[in-house]
Amino acid sequence: MGVATSSAENRRACRETHSGACTQDQGAGPHTAVGSMSGQVGDLSPSQERALAQFRENVQDILAVLPSTDDYFLLRWLRARSFDLKKSEDMLRKHVKFRKQQDLDNILAWQPSEVVRLYEASGFCGHDREGSPVWYHIIRGLDLKGLLLSVSKQEMLRFNFWSLELLLRDCEQQSQELGKKVEKISTVFDFEGLSLRHLWKPGVELVQEFFLALEANYPEILKNLIVVKAPKLFPVAFNLIKPYITEETRKKVVILGGNWKQELLKLISPDQLPMEFGGTMTDPDGNPKCLTKINYGGYVPQQYYLRNHVRVQYDHQATVGRGSSLQVDNEILFPGCVLRWQFASDGGDIGFGVFLKTKMGERQRAGEMTEVLASQRYNAHMVLEDGSLSCTEAGVYVLRFDNTYSLIHAKKISYTVEVLLPDKASEEKIQGLEDSRQSPLH
């Protein structure tokens, strides 16, 4: 019998991460870079004017391969690095390499595979009141596991870069039609239906990688990230993404409450907003969801699968002796956390279940603990297993690998266990919106 514990490590992570603040109930304010000016065209301080001229001179050798050379484009890179000339130049030169690697100059001629076209739950529909295109993301219909079993991670990333380039092309068209510069994108994230399946580790890592690439290669193009119908699990999901976006981007996250349709109409006129989201726009056949513009996704049929698992690296390895079991303790300090695990076995199947200790500081048998996830045998030697659990109460949760039924064979297991913590600020924001909706004064 063995006991592995990560409670001290998790306790430290809980305290550090849960106390992290994130301002989410405000829109994007002006990006003050040097002095009190915003760093936008027409609002530059003398030092910013000089920095822009020097920056243009410093990158003269790569101007010919950039998608634009106007002041608007160059200022995006300067604002992203607070007008630090060296950092801005490094950032832009890395982007030139990225453009070549991804063949961005020709990406609009690329066509994603059928499964991505049918099941990537997003779409561009209409423009906000300032003329910026609006990019919708439908979380309920996002089956990242199905997509990553059907196509490569590189294709999923490329699809999003393709989408961004389409949106930027629309910004150029809008600039010409409206006679004013349009360079930012509005985004609407519909989080209805967010569940534990969306916290699947390889899927989350894909989203993290995308946001890293977005910040590095498309700086200053997001006007806002509007979140509607955020459930109680949203703070955990957001906390997984937060380290991969800049402080400026975090400030652009706006969580709307029960009156989200009225709030969206302040940003988007009714004829540009799908009826599904509170506007009057429909498809030509009257469909309120605007399915010709927004893909609502869904579960990917297994006929598209090219593999039965996504390769992962495990943090721990152990041997569970014959007739024995292994317990992995995880201390949860407060409700709202999520336990996430992945495991594989070698030498045959393995039993697995999750329990909550009833006595602290000592090892308990399975029968003495509260069963949270029923123990059953998994063919983890054939198919990699993964799962997650919302912790509704504090305590020590025990992940128990069970080999007591095997009197002949020991089993080697590889596993990763993580405690996913909620973002404090968004948790408080959602609770505040919920309280105000239930108040008789509202």
Side-chain angles (χ1 to χ4, degrees), residues 15-307:
R15 286 175 178 151
E16 289 173 358
T17 310
H18 196 65
S19 62
C22 172
T23 306
Q24 290 177 279
D25 54 346
Q26 54 184 306
H31 186 126
T32 303
V34 178
S36 58
M37 311 300 280
S38 69
Q40 306 278 352
V41 170
D43 191 31
L44 298 176
S45 67
S47 61
Q48 290 172 340
E49 291 271 14
R50 291 192 296 272
L52 174 59
Q54 184 64 53
F55 185 51
R56 182 179 291 279
E57 186 176 324
N58 292 353
V59 298
Q60 193 71 35
D61 61 306
I62 57 171
L63 290 179
V65 296
L66 296 176
S68 173
T69 58
D70 62 18
D71 288 351
Y72 293 95
F73 181 81
L74 295 180
L75 283 169
R76 278 171 41 197
W77 305 88
L78 285 167
R79 290 197 304 274
R81 292 294 180 264
S82 300
F83 281 77
D84 183 307
L85 283 169
K86 180 68 169 68
K87 290 180 179 178
S88 300
E89 181 180 345
D90 288 346
M91 186 184 189
L92 185 55
R93 290 188 183 278
K94 287 178 181 176
H95 172 66
V96 169
K97 294 179 181 177
F98 175 83
R99 291 194 69 82
K100 187 174 181 180
Q101 290 168 353
Q102 296 292 332
D103 193 24
L104 292 186
D105 291 335
N106 301 305
I107 198 170
L108 293 182
W110 174 75
Q111 284 296 316
S113 60
E114 179 181 282
V115 65
V116 176
R117 288 200 311 272
L118 292 177
Y119 294 98
E120 218 288 343
S122 62
F124 148 51
C125 184
H127 299 88
D128 67 16
R129 291 183 181 273
E130 295 178 336
S132 295
V134 185
W135 195 14
Y136 291 83
H137 296 266
I138 313 299
I139 303 304
R140 178 191 289 279
L142 185 60
D143 179 14
L144 280 176
K145 188 171 189 177
L147 286 166
L148 285 174
L149 291 175
S150 305
V151 298
S152 68
K153 181 179 70 173
Q154 286 69 29
E155 178 167 351
M156 290 298 299
L157 289 169
R158 187 165 176 76
F159 175 83
N160 282 284
F161 302 146
W162 175 73
S163 299
L164 284 167
E165 293 293 332
L166 281 173
L167 288 157
L168 288 175
R169 184 178 68 176
D170 184 80
C171 285
E172 292 177 13
Q173 294 169 348
Q174 285 291 99
S175 298
Q176 294 174 5
E177 291 178 17
L178 300 176
K180 66 174 186 177
K181 187 66 175 180
V182 176
E183 60 174 340
K184 291 185 183 292
I185 298 164
S186 284
T187 58
V188 175
F189 289 83
D190 180 352
F191 268 92
E192 184 178 30
L194 175 70
S195 66
L196 292 173
R197 71 182 177 91
H198 293 104
L199 302 185
W200 180 60
K201 188 173 184 179
V204 170
E205 288 172 347
L206 169 68
V207 177
Q208 291 169 338
E209 190 169 335
F210 166 69
F211 273 105
L212 272 180
L214 174 74
E215 295 284 14
N217 296 286
Y218 296 92
E220 297 285 308
I221 69 162
L222 294 181
K223 181 185 293 184
N224 47 41
L225 294 88
I226 302 166
V227 174
V228 301
K229 295 182 275 187
K232 291 190 183 302
L233 191 58
F234 173 80
V236 173
F238 181 70
N239 213 31
L240 288 167
I241 305 303
K242 193 172 73 169
Y244 297 85
I245 59 178
T246 64
E247 185 61 36
E248 285 300 314
T249 301
R250 293 177 200 173
K251 291 176 182 177
K252 297 174 185 178
V253 177
V254 183
I255 302 174
L256 301 182
N259 64 337
W260 60 270
K261 288 185 177 181
Q262 298 95 302
E263 291 296 316
L264 276 182
L265 285 169
K266 295 177 183 178
L267 302 170
I268 307 168
S269 61
D271 64 324
Q272 292 293 307
L273 185 64
M275 191 176 287
E276 176 80 1
F277 287 86
T280 59
M281 182 189 282
T282 65
D283 270 340
D285 64 359
N287 191 305
K289 291 189 173 184
C290 296
L291 295 178
T292 59
K293 300 178 183 294
I294 303 174
N295 188 347
Y296 286 75
Y299 283 100
V300 176
Q302 291 191 13
Q303 69 195 53
Y304 287 106
Y305 287 12
L306 299 177
R307 58 190 77 86

